[in-house]
Amino acid sequence: MPAIQRIPLLCALLLIPACLWAAEAAHAGWGDALKGAGDAGSKTMGLPSVPTGIDDAFRELLSMGTDSAVESLSQDGGFSKQAATALAIPDDYRKLAETVAPDLLTYLNSAAESAVPAIGELFQATIDTMEFANPTSLLSGKNDAVTAYFEESARPELTENAAPLIQSALEQTGAGSAMSAAQRLSSMTGGAFDPVTYLTDKTLDSMFLYLGQTEKGVRSGDIETTSKLLQQFF
């Protein structure tokens, strides 16, 4: 076959995979198509690299996780009911705490539980204004990719704003004696145990844990949602 005749045939053959992919994408829906394509693939195939509504879907997903975290962690015993969120006295202070501050762990749990609703409001305010870089890559990423992106982007600011809430919660739950005990523990061991820093970090860890669990559940279908927006993408 002359070379000039082979060119149209070659172009046609190259178009076949693209046509098949486009048909598959139309059948599967935008969510599945974007998951498979990613940002670069979406651009190559002529799909919008940032489809309308994807940021709102991520915000709704994170809001679901925040609501779940607040509902669970703010209950009496909310932190202690699972190993991943249970509070503990750091090893360096545990033996001394049993004598010097036997109620320290109780105070920490009470303060964390009471601070969670306000910290949840911090999360929601941050989610409402969150911008997502490479959203289709987040959609096609790991099963907690959106949560991981949110934590990496927002955790420093959340830590700064949550610490005063934890401090206030410790004071309101009558933890003055616990704070004094913590100072005594530090002087006895030569280390530094700061209940506010410890409790802030642990509370945020627990909040993000619930957000990640929610995202995994939505992606896998284990958590059913009636939201049309989430169903469009997940």
Side-chain angles (χ1 to χ4, degrees), residues 106-135:
T106 299
Y107 282 125
L108 292 177
N109 275 286
S110 296
E113 292 160 9
S114 64
V116 161
I119 292 176
E121 293 178 5
L122 288 180
F123 269 63
Q124 189 58 60
T126 305
I127 291 167
D128 289 342
T129 58
M130 190 73 188
E131 298 293 337
F132 300 90
N134 300 320

Side-chain angles (χ1 to χ4, degrees), residues 86-188:
L87 306 179
I89 305 299
D91 291 340
D92 292 344
Y93 312 105
R94 185 170 295 127
K95 291 184 178 179
L96 281 172
E98 293 173 358
T99 302
V100 178
D103 296 326
L104 179 57
L105 187 57
T106 299
Y107 282 125
L108 292 177
N109 275 286
S110 296
E113 292 160 9
S114 64
V116 161
I119 292 176
E121 293 178 5
L122 288 180
F123 269 63
Q124 189 58 60
T126 305
I127 291 167
D128 289 342
T129 58
M130 190 73 188
E131 298 293 337
F132 300 90
N134 300 320
T136 55
S137 293
L138 293 177
L139 185 65
S140 61
K142 296 181 179 180
N143 58 6
D144 63 347
V146 178
T147 299
Y149 178 85
F150 175 50
E151 179 173 6
E152 181 180 1
S153 302
R155 179 149 188 159
E157 182 178 357
L158 288 170
T159 299
E160 181 179 355
N161 292 328
L165 299 176
I166 292 293
Q167 173 77 54
S168 177
L170 282 166
E171 294 170 354
Q172 291 175 8
T173 54
S177 60
M179 299 291 287
S180 297
Q183 294 174 351
R184 291 198 300 273
L185 288 172
S186 297
S187 64
M188 290 177 182

Side-chain angles (χ1 to χ4, degrees), residues 1 5-20:
M1 180 182 297
Q5 296 180 12
R6 289 201 299 269
I7 293 176
L9 177 59
L10 178 60
C11 292
L13 291 174
L14 290 173
L15 284 173
I16 290 174
C19 293
L20 291 174

Side-chain angles (χ1 to χ4, degrees), residues 44-70:
T44 300
M45 303 312 300
L47 293 173
S49 58
V50 183
T52 302
I54 192 169
D55 281 8
D56 288 338
F58 289 165
R59 293 188 189 101
E60 185 172 337
L61 180 68
L62 294 172
S63 294
M64 280 183 60
T66 298
D67 290 343
S68 175
V70 171

Side-chain angles (χ1 to χ4, degrees), residues 147-226:
T147 299
Y149 178 85
F150 175 50
E151 179 173 6
E152 181 180 1
S153 302
R155 179 149 188 159
E157 182 178 357
L158 288 170
T159 299
E160 181 179 355
N161 292 328
L165 299 176
I166 292 293
Q167 173 77 54
S168 177
L170 282 166
E171 294 170 354
Q172 291 175 8
T173 54
S177 60
M179 299 291 287
S180 297
Q183 294 174 351
R184 291 198 300 273
L185 288 172
S186 297
S187 64
M188 290 177 182
T189 61
F193 174 49
D194 181 355
V196 175
T197 299
Y198 167 73
L199 207 56
T200 299
D201 289 341
K202 188 64 176 179
T203 302
L204 293 184
D205 287 345
S206 301
M207 292 286 294
F208 284 117
L209 176 68
Y210 273 91
L211 266 67
Q213 290 176 342
T214 299
E215 180 180 352
K216 292 174 184 178
V218 170
R219 285 181 182 268
S220 66
D222 291 339
I223 296 177
E224 295 184 3
T225 173
T226 57

